[in-house]
Amino acid sequence: MIADQRADLTGAARLLGSARSVLLLAHNNPDADSLGSALTLGLALGRRGAEVSVSFDVPGAIPQSLSGLPGVDLVTPAERWLQAGTSGLDLLVSVDAGSAERLGRLASLFDGDVPLLVIDHHASNTYFGQHHLVDPSADATVVLVDALLSELGVPLDADLAALLYAGLATDTGGFRHGSAAAHVLAARLMAAGARPAELLQAITDSHPFGWLGLLSAVLGRAVLDPLALGGRGLVHTCVTLRDSAGLRQEEADSVIDILRTTSEAAAAAVLKQSAADEWQVSLRSRDGVRVGVAAIALGGGGHPQAAGFTWRGDYQGAIAALTQALDGPGAVSDEA
Ligand code: AMP
Ligand code: MN
Ligand code: MN
């Protein structure tokens, strides 16, 4: 396996190093791993003389919590590419997306003649490109991007280190779930100039006062189902459009990190309403429960213990379907 991964790495670095005009794509509702990976590669390839742009479909603007990251000037609206197509480009790169659907409308760019390199760490990756650097053992996509920088001979500076650190810290749950390699990389990134407290203050540790009202309503209606998952327990709640009115996506996204601390439940679900009959569902689990299996069964994806799916219907219907999927094969590992 190691030989294969190295071959992927060398091949991916060769493609990136020889491309003159590159479009880097982050997934819908980009997080720090996806946008951080795209911006890192964008800055690095730009310094080597390539013409680079970064884009994502939804939402139409950079999430405020990520808008202070280095390199955000590289971001171009999805509409530009949907209208102009891929002419003039010689490489498309998707970062941190497990499937083409995660790129929304920008997936339509893959029908053309421009090769697509997929860089990702989701085990559920569907290998939707022509070239792949996919390693589910990587803590984050930024880990693969760091390896690519070394392969390309691009030295880390403070901007690149900040971008990589942002993705690494957030995807490992503030290093709780990070491997020893993640901690070693963090030390290297700090030595290159990444400033953890300053970076995470903007990304995860700052919310408007209205967030407290959202939390009060949403946590107040949380439900504990102690019988779910064969008695391991499921805790769930919803964030309606009314709860989140006037607030950022970041406020709704933060709820899962509180819900998942419920000691009586091995799995947690937050349904975030995105339209009258549409919910974006965030799932987390521990103690051998694999919510990722349920997310895939319900048309979504992610990692074994951090996953999501989109539900069309009502809240109760989503919970019924989720409870059933969690009782299906593979959601509870044998050792649990
Ligand atoms: P989130 O709860 O949004 O932080 O997402 C947790 C994980 O699930 C991430 O790895 C996402 O890429 C993945 N994920 C979330 N929503 C979806 C979806 N609708 N389809 C596929 N994967 C998803
Ligand atoms: Mn991501
Ligand atoms: Mn990731």
Side-chain angles (χ1 to χ4, degrees):
M1 269 321 281
I2 285 169
D4 287 346
Q5 282 171 17
R6 276 213 63 77
D8 282 346
L9 188 63
T10 312
R14 203 179 305 119
L15 276 170
L16 289 165
S18 59
R20 307 312 310 150
S21 181
V22 186
L23 174 59
L24 299 143
L25 302 172
H27 61 66
N28 274 355
N29 300 311
D31 52 21
D33 191 27
S34 196
L35 195 61
S37 292
L39 295 176
T40 304
L41 284 173
L43 289 178
L45 298 179
R47 279 176 206 164
R48 290 171 52 100
E51 213 177 292
V52 272
S53 294
V54 169
S55 196
F56 54 86
D57 184 10
V58 174
I62 300 172
Q64 195 207 355
S65 56
L66 303 178
S67 61
L69 288 176
V72 288
D73 295 351
L74 296 174
V75 174
T76 51
E79 269 67 27
R80 167 174 158 190
W81 302 102
L82 295 169
Q83 281 158 23
T86 55
S87 72
L89 291 174
D90 48 26
L91 185 64
L92 291 164
V93 183
S94 162
V95 285
D96 197 43
S99 66
E101 290 72 48
R102 293 283 289 147
L103 297 154
R105 294 174 302 163
L106 287 169
S108 66
L109 302 180
F110 305 156
D111 301 341
D113 307 325
V114 182
L116 169 65
L117 167 64
V118 170
I119 305 174
D120 186 36
H121 70 126
H122 291 90
S124 58
N125 195 285
T126 58
Y127 289 79
F128 54 99
Q130 284 77 47
H131 307 276
H132 303 91
L133 174 59
V134 176
D135 182 355
S137 76
D139 288 279
T141 297
V142 291
V143 172
L144 303 174
V145 171
D146 172 65
L148 284 167
L149 295 189
S150 301
E151 194 76 15
L152 287 163
V154 177
L156 286 180
D157 63 14
D159 283 351
L160 300 175
L163 289 165
L164 295 171
Y165 190 96
L168 186 65
T170 53
D171 258 36
T172 56
F175 295 99
R176 276 174 203 82
H177 311 296
S179 65
H183 289 78
V184 171
L185 174 56
R188 194 153 59 75
L189 296 174
M190 285 182 71
R195 304 201 186 295
E198 205 174 289
L199 268 169
L200 294 176
Q201 170 69 27
I203 298 172
T204 56
D205 299 347
S206 141
H207 294 280
F209 182 70
W211 176 61
L212 302 180
L214 177 148
L215 286 180
S216 159
V218 167
L219 298 177
R221 72 170 79 100
V223 172
L224 174 66
D225 176 358
L227 300 178
L229 282 156
R232 289 169 183 82
L234 168 69
V235 63
H236 57 87
T237 192
C238 64
V239 182
T240 64
L241 289 173
R242 194 174 152 162
D243 295 319
S244 55
L247 297 169
R248 310 169 305 165
Q249 182 64 35
E250 286 89 331
E251 276 69 72
D253 288 344
S254 73
V255 176
I256 190 67
D257 284 324
I258 301 171
L259 219 65
R260 70 174 185 81
T261 62
T262 306
S263 57
E264 296 92 335
V270 175
L271 279 78
K272 295 166 281 186
Q273 191 174 26
S274 46
D277 255 349
E278 189 185 84
W279 305 81
Q280 305 302 327
V281 185
S282 282
L283 303 170
R284 299 291 186 272
S285 60
R286 52 185 155 74
D287 302 339
V289 172
R290 287 191 285 245
V291 284
V293 172
I296 292 168
L298 294 167
H303 305 286
Q305 304 203 320
F309 66 97
T310 302
W311 177 258
R312 290 186 182 82
D314 65 9
Y315 174 48
Q316 291 311 332
I319 294 302
L322 175 62
T323 308
Q324 196 177 5
L326 288 172
D327 281 336
V332 179
S333 70
D334 295 338
E335 316 87 70

